[in-house]
Structures are given as C-alpha cells and as structure tokens.
C-alpha cells in the first residue's frame, strides 16, 4: 500500500470512530472501517483470486444505500488505485465536494485511474458558475491532465472570475498557475489581464514568463 492510500485510511479511521455513535455500526463504525481497509489492501494485489472479490466488495459500497461519505471515498480511491473504472462516478462527485480534503483525494485518484472521461468531467465542474466555490480541485486536475479541454476552460474560467463580481481569488490563482504550467500562448491575453489585480499579479507575471515567446 502506498503512502497516499495509507494517509486516506488513517483519516477514514477517525471518521469511522465518530460515525460509530451516530450511524449503522456495520456501515459507519470501526468494523466497517476494518473491512474497507482489508478490501483496499487486497484490491491492489496482483493475484486475481485475491483482488477480484475485494474490488467487487468495494464496488458494492458505491452502489448500496447507507454507506457514509468516508466509506465511499475509501472504496472509490482504492478502486482507482487498482485501475477499476467503477470508481469513476463517485470520484467525480467527490471532486467537487464541499470538504477540500475529500476533493483533493478524488483528484489524485482520478489522475491515477486514467479514465478517458476525466478531462471532460473536470472541465464541466471547473466551468460551472453555480459551483465556483468548490472548483479548486477540478481546475488543478485540468492543469495536471493537459487535455484538449484544459486551456480553453481555464482561460474562460479565469476571464469570468476577473470580470467578477465574485473573484474567488484561490480559484483564479489556480487557473493562473495551471495556465503557466500548460504554457499555451492562447492564455497570454487573460494572464496579461490578471497582472492588473494585486492578488494575482506575481503569479500571473510568473505564468506569462513561462509562455513561449511570440
């Protein structure tokens, strides 16, 4: 088990301890956690006779009623680490989640999963004006993927944020950083505009310096 999944399980253990007092102990308490942790380890095994039943058990957590969010997060991330695309829909849901730590874990899992639908889903979430406050991880994931959708969506999102009235500076800064990483000349006009804002000036100047010279 790698460090990323170990950290996720460590956080889930605390969630399970809190959930034991309020939910179904078979699905939200320490016993549920222990089962998920065991399945997560087995899902990554190279031996199909060990891995396949564990992955099927994790996939059921994503479709059955009554499992808490932390359990769905563990199941989806473990499946993603094993390359099982049954995790995709749950991870997209978590990518735009209100809790940043879960959205960050989902972004990492989606990057590892490598599902071809990921860029389109991240683009839809990053460009959704009604969910801008939760768009940080979709924006970062788009920059990481470097997909055909990445630059147009980051440019459009940043342009909208610069126009306001809600600038959402952390999201705008992530767009600027992502465009700097992608080094696409199409970003030059919006990055130049971003230098006019004190909150973005330094980051935008750095991003502009990374673009190919005209």
């Amino acid at each position: 088990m790698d460090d990323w999944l170990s950290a996720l399980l460590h956080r889930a253990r605390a969630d399970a301890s809190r959930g034991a007092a309020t939910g179904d102990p078979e699905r939200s308490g320490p016993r549920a956690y222990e089962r998920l942790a065991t399945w997560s380890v087995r899902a990554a095994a190279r031996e199909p006779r060990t891995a396949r039943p564990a992955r099927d058990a994790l996939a059921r957590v994503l479709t059955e009623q009554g499992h808490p969010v932390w359990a769905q997060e563990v199941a989806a991330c473990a499946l993603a680490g094993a390359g099982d695309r049954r995790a995709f829909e749950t991870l997209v849901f978590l990518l735009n989640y209100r809790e940043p730590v879960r959205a960050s874990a989902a972004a990492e899992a989606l990057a590892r999963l490598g599902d071809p639908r990921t860029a389109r889903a991240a683009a839809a979430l990053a460009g959704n004006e009604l969910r801008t406050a939760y768009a940080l991880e979709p924006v970062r994931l788009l920059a990481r993927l470097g997909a055909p959708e990445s630059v147009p969506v980051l440019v459009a999102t940043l342009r909208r944020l610069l126009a306001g009235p809600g600038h959402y500076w952390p999201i705008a800064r992530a767009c600027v950083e992502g465009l700097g990483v992608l080094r696409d000349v199409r970003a030059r006009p919006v990055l130049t505009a971003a230098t006019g804002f004190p909150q973005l000036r330094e980051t935008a100047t750095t991003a502009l310096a990374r673009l190919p010279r005209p």
Side-chain angles (χ1 to χ4, degrees):
M1 185 188 304
D2 65 18
D3 292 341
W4 170 70
L5 188 56
S6 295
L8 175 65
L9 288 171
H10 179 76
R11 176 163 54 81
R13 185 191 294 273
D15 289 331
S17 297
R18 289 190 293 268
T22 58
D24 178 356
E26 291 300 320
R27 293 193 173 184
S28 60
R31 287 196 298 271
Y33 167 82
E34 294 298 336
R35 284 197 303 272
L36 282 166
T38 299
W39 292 337
S40 296
V41 172
R42 291 178 179 174
R46 295 183 179 180
E47 172 54 56
R49 288 178 297 177
T50 302
R52 188 173 296 114
R55 293 174 189 173
D56 289 343
L58 291 169
R60 286 195 294 273
V61 173
L62 304 182
T63 57
E64 294 174 348
Q65 298 292 320
H67 292 284
V69 171
W70 69 260
Q72 296 177 52
E73 179 189 10
V74 168
C77 289
L79 285 171
D84 193 318
R85 290 184 179 177
R86 287 178 288 184
F88 178 76
E89 286 79 8
T90 299
L91 291 175
V92 170
F93 165 73
L94 292 172
L95 181 63
N96 202 220
Y97 202 67
R98 63 181 180 272
E99 295 179 55
V101 67
R102 300 197 195 281
S104 178
E108 177 63 28
L110 282 165
R112 293 176 178 226
L113 181 59
D115 191 296
R117 298 170 291 177
T118 299
R120 184 181 300 175
L125 294 175
N128 186 344
E129 295 185 34
L130 299 179
R131 299 287 294 177
T132 300
Y134 307 110
L136 182 61
E137 293 303 333
V139 164
R140 287 175 172 172
L141 182 57
L142 276 178
R144 180 174 178 177
L145 294 174
E149 298 91 339
S150 297
V151 170
V153 171
L154 293 182
V155 165
T157 301
L158 179 57
R159 185 179 293 120
R160 171 169 55 83
L161 294 177
L162 294 182
H167 296 293
Y168 295 96
W169 296 121
I171 313 301
R173 189 172 297 108
C175 289
V176 170
E177 291 169 348
L179 290 169
V181 168
L182 295 171
R183 302 185 180 189
D184 192 304
V185 295
R186 290 175 292 176
R188 190 180 302 279
V190 74
L191 289 176
T192 301
T195 63
F197 294 82
Q199 298 87 343
L200 302 175
R201 183 172 296 131
E202 182 177 354
T203 308
T205 300
T206 300
L208 279 167
R210 303 185 71 177
L211 298 186
R213 292 180 179 272

